[in-house]
Amino acid sequence: GYGLLVELFWPVLRRMAARSLFAAWEAHAKAWLSRWWSEIEAITGRGAGAEAVVQSWLDTLCKERAQGHMQSWMPSWIGIKSIVLPPTDLNDSSQEIDNLLVTELGIYVIEVKGWRSIGEDGKGKTASGESLGSPVAQCSKKVEHIKAIVGIGVPVSALAVLPFARESDAAFGLDSRIVFSSDQLAIILRTAHK
């Protein structure tokens, strides 16, 4: 009797239980996303916006320098949107390069951050006050990876660019590889490796 009923209705009961569990999970996921979505969107939007600003700065600088016979190249010019370095002995995880500039003077690995400010220690902070890593330190790992690829004869430099932060808010003595404007970027690219 009872066992036969369970056998007959088990597939239906199992589907109902699965639907119920999925509905509960979906409701929980939607509630979590709605609570955090605006913050996630603001962070990713700032990062993408910062990368677009820096890309336009680099495009302008490279065109100006080409008139002065300084040759340069960026992967984005041929449609490469992202460069991901695989894990190595130096780094146990893959790393994405925000921008790469190849010039006659060397290679610049550029880390772009959409931060509004940077601390005296060269680190950023989240809205809740949590400390973020140093963009220069993050970029330096990528520099070591590129150096291992191109060899010791090619100068490779790290730059961290924060186009939305104000230099006037930065601490005196902050790492000179942290750049806040296209003018600073132009000066660094003019004087590096000499």
Side-chain angles (χ1 to χ4, degrees):
Y2 180 72
L4 182 61
L5 279 175
V6 170
E7 272 187 50
L8 288 173
F9 290 108
W10 178 246
V12 173
L13 291 171
R14 190 175 64 210
R15 280 193 300 271
M16 287 174 54
R19 277 191 217 121
S20 176
L21 284 172
F22 179 75
W25 174 84
E26 185 178 36
H28 176 73
K30 284 181 179 178
W32 183 86
L33 273 177
S34 68
R35 195 169 57 239
W36 292 103
W37 187 252
S38 61
E39 189 170 332
I40 292 168
E41 205 169 53
I43 291 168
T44 57
R46 252 194 329 265
E51 288 180 14
V53 167
V54 172
Q55 181 66 51
S56 71
W57 289 355
L58 289 167
D59 288 342
T60 300
L61 289 170
C62 289
K63 285 177 189 167
E64 290 170 1
R65 291 180 75 159
Q67 292 171 356
H69 309 293
M70 171 68 182
Q71 298 300 311
S72 56
W73 178 83
M74 291 189 307
S76 60
W77 293 352
I78 59 169
I80 297 173
K81 301 278 186 220
S82 182
I83 300 170
V84 178
L85 302 172
T88 66
D89 294 338
L90 299 171
N91 299 303
D92 57 352
S93 63
S94 61
Q95 297 182 333
E96 183 177 8
I97 294 178
D98 292 339
N99 221 315
L100 190 72
L101 176 63
V102 180
T103 73
E104 296 169 351
L105 300 175
I107 299 172
Y108 298 91
V109 179
I110 302 170
E111 184 68 26
V112 179
K113 296 294 182 194
W115 301 346
R116 303 269 183 225
S117 64
I118 189 162
E120 290 180 19
D121 57 358
K123 297 179 180 180
K125 293 207 182 313
T126 64
S128 62
E130 184 181 332
S131 182
L132 300 170
S134 162
V136 173
Q138 185 181 1
C139 196
S140 294
K141 292 178 183 177
K142 298 170 189 178
V143 165
E144 292 307 313
H145 196 131
I146 296 294
K147 281 181 178 179
I149 294 169
V150 299
I152 59 172
V154 179
V156 183
S157 301
L159 289 176
V161 184
L162 286 72
F164 300 152
R166 294 188 317 209
E167 183 182 8
S168 60
D169 293 340
F172 182 74
L174 193 62
D175 191 319
S176 62
R177 295 172 291 178
I178 298 175
V179 178
F180 298 94
S181 69
S182 61
D183 292 338
Q184 281 183 319
L185 191 56
I187 291 168
I188 287 173
L189 295 178
R190 234 182 279 133
T191 60
H193 305 303
K194 287 189 177 180

